[in-house]
């Protein structure tokens, strides 16, 4: 181990192994999450819960790395070989076909259990790698062995590379089966490298252990390590949920904040990014205040600007947090404890955002709350020995109250000038009226108490009772997201709206006679309205399956001899549509209504073959689409439950995805005839009555009935699809259908 060649070999092996391990960690996360998404209806919360699981597994791996340091080198080698062997027995990763979610208990705990069964042991084995490799490298005689933390930057580079490669290079070209096979072979290579590295460095371990002289860290230092890791971890999840809930549920959007989080580690632990760190430190007050300002004015539109602003702010805050962590790194003898507490802070962020916040808060409040916490800790001196040093001085407190007063004083001014403007002007006016005093305060007072006061005042701003164009009547938060019922005043009277995140799922006027009128994407002149009012009534008794409930608008077309079965995965949607009193389409329908709670595809498998006259797929208007309802296997299932002359009607209005090529490809493979109609030329009168533009596809077996072709006479034939574009349970490519 003393020759330069041997030391260089250890460095190369350490670097390669840590790159491989981090790549495997972040390749398996979207891979396994994709396996579970169909089982949970494609809910975006699956990703946040999966992140929590991986954080907890990482914490367990770091704990193992810390405790194994108390063993002799030979014992550590034997123990780690045992862990690798157990992980190998768990390959290939995945879940058995018999496993199903527990819908009666906690959905989150059910998913965590499934993730453990699918990938728990192999992920645990890999999660031990980063601290172990750095510790083992420190046993070598390489000149960099005394400060091996640069390997952590390399680890995060591997994580970032895998994260970006997955949706663009792996998912589009490999089926899930091939992905799991590739991952298993790479895991085998990783295991060999780890055991080899442990073996060749164990001779230097005894001498290194004997030379340990560093004192253990203080409890205050341990607290700093935990808090500084908690803040960016929680903010990453908060930003992800905020932008996908309140801005746009854009596919793959979660990659952006997570990439910013990983890059911040690379910057913080690299010795060549001094300028970037200095710029982030100077920008910190503005990075904290900017997202608070955007949330205070409830900014609408400018989606790219909003996403960029929140992401840049997250990056700056994360760089400051992780740079402080890097500056407080201990001697090598305390390395594993350092990473253990860092991982604990990250896991606490996941627990807070995924388990505690959904129960305690009805809205996504945790993002704003952690911004406020960042004000207190990141503008203080990192590593302060006493927590009371975080308390501002009397002068700072007075200046902070003055700054907050300036912000809050803007409220009457905004109300007097008129909060409500045309949509294109509202945000600009609000940003100017609230942002100008906020900017003045941040520029004038850049100490932590004053920055915290400015941020806190802006976060309180939306609760001051200032009028907006919508009044929120009810908010409910669950595993499936945040649901809101709002009221808006219109010329024809007030109407109720159901929002799920940033997607509007339905509207209904509150008073008759317009309360009986189908609205939104289902208005009488819409493509769906044409099918329900012109085609179905002539066919007599109908058995109709509707996947996705919304507010049940299509029930307004119901006839006495129809039976409508709604398949809905979120019980809260059923409660608000059928029981809340806000929406009455279901209650007033002439048809018999039945609800089936759970994932539609799993429930449809239990239905009798050839039992439905029509299946309506209305689960794709939300931008987080349930891909498992769009595969060839899914359509094969629909056809088996459909009568020979039955119809599949699909609502594919979507802000970010063009789904028609996928449907056309599946139709070609299954020899179906398809019709498509885009109806976005909405007249002013139709808009006043509540109609929205929409896009629908109808699929039937070849040689459709004359009555159907007559009813769909102004629909265009769905173009012939390319079979290679069809999605299956083993392959899908969201990137290919981005608009």
């Amino acid at each position: 181990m003393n020759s330069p060649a041997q030391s260089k070999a250890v460095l190369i092996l350490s670097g390669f192994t840590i790159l491989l391990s981090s790549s495997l960690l972040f390749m398996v996360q979207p891979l396994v999450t994709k396996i579970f998404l169909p089982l949970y209806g494609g809910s975006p919360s699956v990703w946040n819960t999966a992140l929590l699981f991986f954080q907890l597994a990482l914490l367990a791996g770091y704990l193992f790395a810390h405790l194994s340091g108390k063993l002799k080198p030979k014992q550590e080698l034997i123990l780690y070989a045992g862990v690798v062997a157990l992980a190998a027995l768990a390959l290939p990763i995945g879940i058995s076909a018999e496993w199903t979610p527990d819908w009666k208990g906690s959905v989150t705990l059910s998913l965590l259990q499934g993730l453990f069964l699918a990938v728990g042991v192999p992920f645990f084995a890999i999660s031990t790698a980063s601290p172990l490799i750095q510790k083992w490298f420190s046993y070598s005689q390489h000149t960099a062995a005394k400060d091996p933390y640069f390997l952590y930057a390399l680890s995060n580079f591997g994580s970032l590379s895998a994260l970006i490669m997955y949706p663009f290079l792996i998912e589009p070209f490999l089926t899930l089966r091939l992905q799991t096979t590739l991952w298993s072979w790479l895991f085998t290579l990783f295991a060999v490298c780890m055991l080899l590295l442990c073996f060749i460095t164990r001779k230097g371990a005894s001498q290194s252990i004997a030379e340990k002289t560093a004192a253990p860290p203080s409890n205050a230092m341990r607290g700093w390590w935990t808090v500084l890791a908690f803040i960016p971890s929680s903010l990453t999840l908060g930003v992800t949920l905020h932008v996908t809930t309140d801005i746009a549920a854009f596919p793959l959007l979660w990659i952006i904040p997570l990439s910013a989080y990983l890059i911040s580690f690379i910057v913080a632990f690299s010795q060549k990014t001094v300028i970037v760190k200095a710029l982030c430190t100077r920008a910190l007050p503005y990075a904290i205040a900017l997202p608070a300002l955007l949330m205070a004015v409830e900014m609408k539109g400018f989606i790219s600007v909003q996403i960029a602003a929140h992401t840049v702010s997250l990056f700056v805050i994360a760089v400051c947090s992780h740079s402080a962590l890097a500056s407080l790194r201990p001697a090598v003898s305390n390395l594993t404890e350092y990473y253990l507490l860092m991982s604990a802070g990250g896991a606490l962020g996941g627990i807070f955002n995924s388990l505690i916040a959904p129960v305690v808060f009805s809205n996504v409040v945790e993002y704003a709350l952690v911004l406020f916490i960042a004000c207190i800790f990141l503008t203080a001196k990192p590593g302060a020995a006493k927590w009371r040093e975080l308390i501002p001085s009397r002068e700072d407190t007075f200046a902070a109250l003055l700054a907050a007063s300036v912000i809050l004083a803007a409220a009457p001014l905004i109300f007097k000038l008129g909060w409500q403007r045309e949509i294109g002007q509202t945000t600009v006016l609000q940003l100017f009226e609230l942002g100008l005093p906020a900017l003045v305060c941040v520029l004038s007072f850049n100490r932590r108490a004053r920055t915290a006061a400015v941020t806190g005042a802006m976060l309180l701003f939306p609760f001051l009772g200032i009028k907006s164009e919508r009044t929120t009547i009810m908010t409910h938060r669950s595993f499936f997201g945040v649901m809101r019922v709002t009221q808006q005043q219109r010329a024809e009277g007030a109407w109720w709206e159901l929002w799920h995140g940033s997607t509007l799922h339905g509207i209904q006027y509150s008073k008759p006679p317009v309360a009986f009128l189908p609205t939104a994407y289902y208005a009488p002149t819409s493509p769906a309205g044409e099918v329900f009012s012109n085609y179905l009534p002539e066919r007599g008794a109908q058995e109709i399956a509707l996947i996705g409930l919304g507010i049940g608008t299509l029930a307004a077309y119901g006839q006495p001899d129809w039976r409508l079965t709604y398949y809905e995965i979120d019980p809260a949607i059923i409660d608000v549509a059928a029981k809340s009193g806000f929406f009455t389409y279901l209650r007033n329908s002439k048809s018999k209504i039945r609800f089936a709670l759970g994932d539609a595809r799993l429930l449809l498998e239990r239905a009798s073959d050839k039992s439905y006259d029509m299946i309506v797929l209305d689960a794709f208007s939300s931008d987080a689409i349930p891909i498992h309802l769009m595969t060839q296997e899914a359509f094969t299932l629909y056809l088996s439950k459909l009568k020979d002359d039955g119809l599949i009607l699909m609502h594919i209005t979507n802000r970010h995805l063009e789904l028609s090529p996928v449907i056309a490809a599946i139709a070609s493979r299954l020899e179906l005839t398809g019709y498509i109609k885009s109806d976005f030329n909405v007249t002013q009168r139709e808009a006043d009555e509540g109609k929205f533009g929409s896009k629908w596809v109808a699929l039937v077996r070849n040689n459709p009935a004359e009555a159907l072709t007559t009813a769909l006479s102004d629909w265009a034939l769905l173009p012939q699809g390319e079979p290679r574009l069809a999605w299956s349970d083993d392959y899908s490519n969201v990137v290919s259908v981005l608009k």
Side-chain angles (χ1 to χ4, degrees):
M1 288 296 295
N2 294 324
S3 71
Q6 288 177 315
S7 297
K8 186 176 181 180
V10 172
L11 175 62
I12 294 173
L13 181 59
S14 299
F16 174 77
T17 308
I18 206 167
L19 267 176
L20 178 60
S21 65
S22 57
S23 299
L24 284 171
L25 283 177
F26 273 79
M27 176 184 171
V28 78
Q29 292 183 36
L31 193 165
V32 172
T33 304
K34 187 174 179 180
I35 293 174
F36 279 90
L37 272 170
L39 300 174
Y40 289 86
S43 169
S45 294
V46 173
W47 175 247
N48 265 12
T49 306
L51 278 182
L52 169 63
F53 169 80
F54 294 125
Q55 286 175 323
L56 293 174
L58 190 69
L59 176 61
Y62 281 19
L63 178 61
F64 173 89
H66 177 61
L67 295 178
S68 68
K70 303 180 185 299
L71 301 175
K72 294 180 180 179
K74 185 176 181 179
Q75 293 173 325
E76 186 177 40
L77 175 60
I78 295 172
L79 178 61
Y80 194 76
V83 171
V84 169
L86 284 175
L89 292 175
L91 297 176
I93 57 174
I95 198 73
S96 67
E98 291 76 25
W99 190 90
T100 57
D102 178 13
W103 297 108
K104 296 180 180 179
S106 169
V107 180
T108 299
L109 292 178
S110 170
L111 176 55
L112 291 174
Q113 178 195 40
L115 288 166
F116 175 78
L117 294 174
V119 73
V121 180
F123 190 91
F124 168 78
I126 299 177
S127 65
T128 65
S130 182
L132 284 179
I133 291 171
Q134 292 176 68
K135 181 181 71 172
W136 294 340
F137 176 72
S138 71
Y139 297 158
S140 72
Q141 300 301 312
H142 195 279
T143 54
K146 293 182 179 180
D147 188 14
Y149 291 96
F150 70 94
L151 289 171
Y152 192 60
L154 189 62
S155 171
N156 284 280
F157 175 77
S159 301
L160 178 65
S161 300
L163 180 69
I164 296 175
M165 285 172 58
Y166 185 82
F168 299 106
L169 296 178
I170 298 175
E171 185 183 40
F173 303 108
L174 298 178
T175 65
L176 278 176
R177 184 175 302 175
L178 286 176
Q179 290 176 40
T180 56
T181 301
L182 172 63
W183 194 89
S184 298
W185 280 108
L186 290 176
F187 177 86
T188 303
L189 175 61
F190 155 79
V192 171
C193 291
M194 283 291 286
L195 293 174
L196 178 61
L197 185 62
C198 181
F199 178 78
I200 64 177
T201 58
R202 66 189 177 93
K203 293 182 180 179
S206 301
Q207 180 182 355
S208 178
I209 293 171
E211 293 176 351
K212 285 185 178 180
T213 57
S218 65
N219 289 332
M221 184 61 68
R222 292 185 176 104
W224 274 104
W225 291 345
T226 305
V227 170
L228 290 173
F230 166 84
I231 290 172
S233 170
S234 177
L235 283 180
T236 300
L237 295 175
V239 169
T240 301
L241 193 57
H242 175 70
V243 298
T244 56
T245 299
D246 297 323
I247 298 178
F250 189 80
L252 306 176
L253 190 59
W254 51 267
I255 288 179
I256 299 175
L258 187 54
S259 297
Y261 177 76
L262 292 174
I263 294 172
S264 72
F265 272 117
I266 299 172
V267 171
F269 283 84
S270 173
Q271 300 175 356
K272 301 179 181 180
T273 54
V274 177
I275 296 177
V276 177
K277 296 175 191 175
L279 290 174
C280 288
T281 301
R282 287 184 174 275
L284 180 61
Y286 315 106
I288 294 174
L290 178 59
L293 174 62
L294 296 178
M295 287 187 283
V297 301
E298 298 179 343
M299 185 177 184
K300 304 297 181 185
F302 306 101
I303 290 176
S304 298
V305 174
Q306 288 195 72
I307 293 173
H310 285 282
T311 304
V312 170
S313 293
L314 168 65
F315 174 74
V316 171
I317 296 170
V319 166
C320 291
S321 296
H322 293 147
S323 294
L325 261 175
S327 69
L328 299 176
R329 64 187 183 273
V332 175
S333 58
N334 295 316
L335 179 148
T336 56
E337 183 180 6
Y338 172 72
Y339 281 118
L340 173 63
L341 292 174
M342 186 191 301
S343 177
L348 285 174
I351 291 171
F352 175 66
N353 284 63
S354 299
L355 296 182
I356 298 175
V359 176
V360 177
F361 307 125
S362 59
N363 284 304
V364 188
V365 178
E366 59 270 23
Y367 179 23
L369 181 61
V370 177
L371 276 176
F372 191 76
I373 293 174
C375 293
I376 303 298
F377 285 92
L378 296 186
T379 53
K381 180 182 178 181
K386 298 180 180 179
W387 293 108
R388 64 171 175 266
E389 295 181 29
L390 296 174
I391 302 174
S393 65
R394 187 177 304 173
E395 293 77 11
D396 276 348
T397 302
F398 175 77
L401 293 174
L402 178 62
S405 300
V406 173
I407 299 297
L408 296 178
L413 174 63
I414 294 175
F415 182 71
K416 183 176 180 180
L417 292 178
W419 183 265
Q420 297 190 50
R421 294 287 192 275
E422 295 298 322
I423 291 178
Q425 302 173 1
T426 303
T427 297
V428 176
L429 181 67
Q430 293 169 346
L431 282 172
F432 176 77
E433 293 172 343
L434 181 58
L436 185 59
L439 181 61
V440 170
C441 289
V442 173
L443 288 173
S444 303
F445 310 116
N446 58 9
R447 298 185 66 171
R448 69 176 184 276
R450 303 164 194 179
T451 304
V454 170
T455 304
M458 288 190 290
L459 294 174
L460 288 173
F461 196 82
F463 301 100
L464 295 179
I466 298 175
K467 295 180 180 178
S468 65
E469 61 178 1
R470 289 185 175 88
T471 303
T472 299
I473 307 300
M474 185 193 78
T475 303
H476 177 81
R477 185 173 180 178
S478 69
F479 177 84
F480 299 99
V482 178
M483 178 187 67
R484 293 179 296 127
V485 176
T486 60
Q487 186 185 55
Q488 184 175 174
Q489 295 296 327
R490 307 285 293 187
E492 294 77 10
W495 71 24
W496 305 106
E497 302 169 325
L498 177 63
W499 295 83
H500 197 270
S502 60
T503 301
L504 181 58
H505 281 290
I507 62 173
Q508 184 178 13
Y509 281 100
S510 58
K511 294 181 180 180
V514 286
F516 301 109
L517 181 70
T519 57
Y521 317 104
Y522 321 98
T525 57
S526 70
E530 293 175 355
V531 172
F532 271 81
S533 57
N534 299 337
Y535 171 64
L536 291 183
E538 299 179 0
R539 290 172 54 84
Q542 294 287 293
E543 285 279 351
I544 302 174
L546 302 101
I547 299 176
L549 173 59
I551 62 173
T553 309
L554 288 174
Y557 294 101
Q559 300 298 317
D561 53 354
W562 292 8
R563 185 164 71 171
L564 311 180
T565 301
Y566 280 97
Y567 291 86
E568 175 58 50
I569 198 169
D570 189 351
I573 295 291
I574 296 177
D575 288 340
V576 76
K579 305 173 184 178
S580 66
F582 299 119
F583 306 103
T584 59
Y585 287 125
L586 296 170
R587 186 190 313 162
N588 296 331
S589 178
K590 299 176 184 178
S591 299
K592 297 176 182 178
I593 307 292
R594 187 174 73 91
F595 300 108
L597 178 62
D599 179 71
R601 186 167 162 184
L602 296 176
L603 293 174
L604 270 174
E605 290 178 353
R606 306 173 193 170
S608 302
D609 289 346
K610 299 185 182 300
S611 57
Y612 289 115
D613 296 280
M614 180 163 67
I615 297 177
V616 181
L617 297 172
D618 190 18
F620 309 114
S621 57
S622 176
D623 299 296
I625 63 168
I627 292 175
H628 69 298
L629 299 179
M630 279 280 295
T631 65
Q632 182 173 334
E633 292 87 345
F635 278 85
T636 301
L637 173 67
Y638 305 149
L639 291 172
S640 71
K641 307 304 176 183
L642 204 63
K643 295 178 181 178
D644 291 337
D645 59 347
L647 172 70
I648 299 175
L649 185 64
M650 299 184 63
H651 182 199
I652 61 169
T653 309
N654 197 289
R655 288 176 288 184
H656 305 299
L657 304 177
E658 181 52 66
L659 298 173
S660 56
V662 177
I663 300 171
I666 294 174
S668 296
R669 283 193 172 188
L670 299 180
E671 298 182 349
L672 302 176
T673 299
Y675 301 87
I676 186 169
K677 184 173 183 179
S678 298
D679 181 36
F680 293 102
N681 295 321
V682 180
T683 66
Q684 186 59 50
R685 180 177 178 180
E686 289 174 331
D688 292 339
E689 292 175 349
K691 179 182 177 180
F692 299 163
S694 62
K695 188 174 185 177
W696 294 78
V697 170
L699 296 177
V700 294
R701 293 181 174 89
N702 285 332
N703 303 316
E706 183 179 349
L708 178 62
T709 57
T710 302
L712 303 180
S713 59
D714 61 341
W715 290 48
L717 277 173
L718 188 67
Q720 187 73 18
E722 298 183 40
R724 65 180 181 82
L725 298 179
W727 290 354
S728 68
D729 289 348
D730 204 32
Y731 170 81
S732 60
N733 182 10
V734 175
V735 174
S736 67
V737 294
L738 290 175
K739 289 183 178 179

